[in-house]
Amino acid sequence: MSVLQIQNVSKSFGNLRAVEDVSIALDQGDNLAIIGESGCGKTTLAKMIMGLAKPDTGFIKAQYYSVQMVFQDPNQSLDPLWNVWGILKEALWRKGALPPQDIQKRIEQMLVAVGLSPQVLQRFPHEFSGGERQRIAIARALLADPQVLVLDEAVSALDTLVQKQIIDLLKKLKQDFNLTYIFISHNLRLVRNFSDKIVVMYQGKIVEEGRTQSVLSAPAHPYTQQLLQAAFYTNFRNL
Amino acid sequence: MKIKINRTGLLCFWVLMVLYGLAIFADFICPYAYQDENRDFSYCPPTAVEFQDQGRWVRPFVYGRALTFNAIHRRVYVIDHTQKYPLHFLKGGRLFGVDAPGRFYLWGADARGRDLFSRIWYGARISLSIGLLGVGISFILGLLIGGIAGYYGGWVDNILMRVCEMFMMIPGFYLMLALRAAVPENFNSVQVYISVVVILSLIGWASLARIIRGMALSLRERDFVLAAKTLGVPDIVIIFKHILPQTISFSCATLMLTVSSYILAEAGLSVVGLGIQDPIPSWGNLLSDAMGIVPVIFAPWILLPGLFIFIAVVCFNVIGDSLRDAFDPMFNEKG
């Protein structure tokens, strides 16, 4: 069952063609990685998926508000002036007026689900570590009952150990909440570990796509080969 | 968030608190009502309080005075040592005073024999409140319009900013005069007060709106605003919950700096006779008595309201500056 359909989407800023003729179809339960270097149009694509930017041509079909996003930097994505309660309650906005006990219950359950204690509700973002902050951001996204979760470099700002914890958490949550992931990253090692399908973007275009194993073991496009080589180099051939 | 304000700022804060306290309790502190006049004591100089009577310590009292004219028809008050009026405290709901027909002028009297001390503190009610009220209104306007313009951008921004510029391009004082001219002549004192507040707030909101708009323009690209958008939070809620609170540190400092300019503006308007009308006192119209050189030479105490305008303005400015320093992270980390 298709939960998100991206059809021939293009977007340019002035002369810069950020995204060019991109088509992706996503089925329920997919775990798709979009990889590419900085400035290749990954984030622009993510913003269009979220409805934060409008495609120049083409269309994106998803159920209304069924897509949520976890941002790269949890320092930026949580409003520093609001405590956890205020941040998470916002995610229930679209659900209309809920009885207060119900809100409390949902938020506390979600905090437990992402591995935080319900006691943190009165604390402010700066009182948490980066990993904890990202857990709060994930909890916020999940409270809105999404089908698709866009993870825009969601672990890039964290250190390696915390990265692993968050990746494990995301794997668990995928099962628990029956989620579909779009994992936007430049970290090939994480992608290989995490995603089933892969889309390689280069200068706004999709240059290669397929199952993660097949793309990474036998890259067809020169750019993908280059990317892999670079990854080999930086990861000391641990890939 | 913990705000650490420097010592000068704190001092100014307490000075202002004293001024506001005196204004609020003017009914109690002042010996006379603001309209209580006695033409026999026109421009009566400050009354000395006597503590000794023929070498003996007695309850404080004041001597009676009689108005005479000297050879060049100048007023001269002659102290009448036979009349003694003891100071009484807490009588008739007032802190201190003397019994009629004696008059006690701590800081002298104006042309109509009204006590300047009393009129200054009653006037403080107007002068100190008008700045705060005017700033309150122009801040609501400025934050709202700036927030909306910056958040939406595009043609909304364009229209709102052009309106702002229309207000900003007219020099403040002339805009104030023009707006005052639009107010009917036959307003009573309350209506005049309200109209002056509105006029003041109309001249100040535009510059604030422009700055808030600039901040909102950058804030709307921040991730937490985008996150709220993707959660389906309505725009107006985002503006109030995420955009405007981020500008609060800047706004607080600007607020204080603006209050002082509003106090000056009210004074300016009242000095030229377009603000608060006699007999209601404000520091501005008290000072308008001092516009002629003759009263200033012979009754220099009528300049006193100017001193209080000065003190209030300096205090608000210093508090604004120290608030700005307190909110400035670069400045804070050093000290």
Side-chain angles (χ1 to χ4, degrees), chain A residues 81-144:
Chain A
L81 298 180
W82 288 86
N83 62 15
V84 175
W85 171 257
I87 289 167
L88 293 183
K89 214 175 83 171
E90 201 172 56
L92 297 169
W93 185 275
R94 233 169 11 83
K95 307 230 182 309
L98 292 170
Q101 306 95 320
D102 204 18
I103 296 178
Q104 177 98 23
K105 212 179 81 192
R106 277 174 187 237
I107 288 179
E108 284 181 358
Q109 278 173 353
M110 190 56 73
L111 278 175
V112 174
V114 299
L116 288 171
S117 143
Q119 262 106 57
V120 302
L121 279 176
Q122 298 306 318
R123 285 163 63 187
F124 286 85
H126 69 265
E127 299 174 59
F128 294 96
S129 68
E132 286 172 321
R133 263 176 259 178
Q134 200 58 296
R135 284 171 198 263
I136 295 167
I138 292 168
R140 173 175 63 186
L142 291 183
L143 272 171

Side-chain angles (χ1 to χ4, degrees), chain A residues 152-185:
Chain A
D152 183 9
E153 304 273 13
V155 294
S156 309
L158 309 171
D159 42 350
T160 327
L161 223 83
V162 183
Q163 273 187 357
K164 186 182 178 311
Q165 289 167 3
I166 297 290
I167 289 289
D168 290 344
L169 173 71
L170 287 169
K171 281 180 179 164
K172 179 178 90 81
L173 293 173
K174 188 169 184 303
Q175 302 295 321
D176 294 352
F177 292 90
N178 196 17
L179 292 167
T180 306
Y181 282 157
I182 298 177
F183 187 76
I184 296 174
S185 182

Side-chain angles (χ1 to χ4, degrees), chain A residues 68 76 79 82 86 90 93, chain B residues 222 224 230 234 241-242 246:
Chain A
Q68 282 302 322
Q76 298 287 324
D79 190 331
W82 288 86
E90 201 172 56
W93 185 275
Chain B
R222 297 277 290 274
F224 59 80
T230 62
K241 195 179 163 185
H242 295 298
Q246 297 288 328

Side-chain angles (χ1 to χ4, degrees), chain A residues 47 50 52 65 67-68 71-73 76-82 86 90-91 93-94 140-141 144, chain B residues 1 221-234 237-238 240-243 245-246 248:
Chain A
K47 278 194 176 165
M50 298 313 302
L52 295 172
Y65 289 117
V67 187
Q68 282 302 322
F71 291 84
Q72 173 170 11
D73 186 357
Q76 298 287 324
S77 65
L78 305 176
D79 190 331
L81 298 180
W82 288 86
E90 201 172 56
W93 185 275
R94 233 169 11 83
R140 173 175 63 186
Chain B
M1 190 157 40
E221 300 296 332
R222 297 277 290 274
D223 283 351
F224 59 80
V225 173
L226 298 180
K229 266 192 201 172
T230 62
L231 291 166
V233 180
V237 177
I238 294 181
F240 276 102
K241 195 179 163 185
H242 295 298
I243 305 255
Q246 297 288 328
I248 205 76

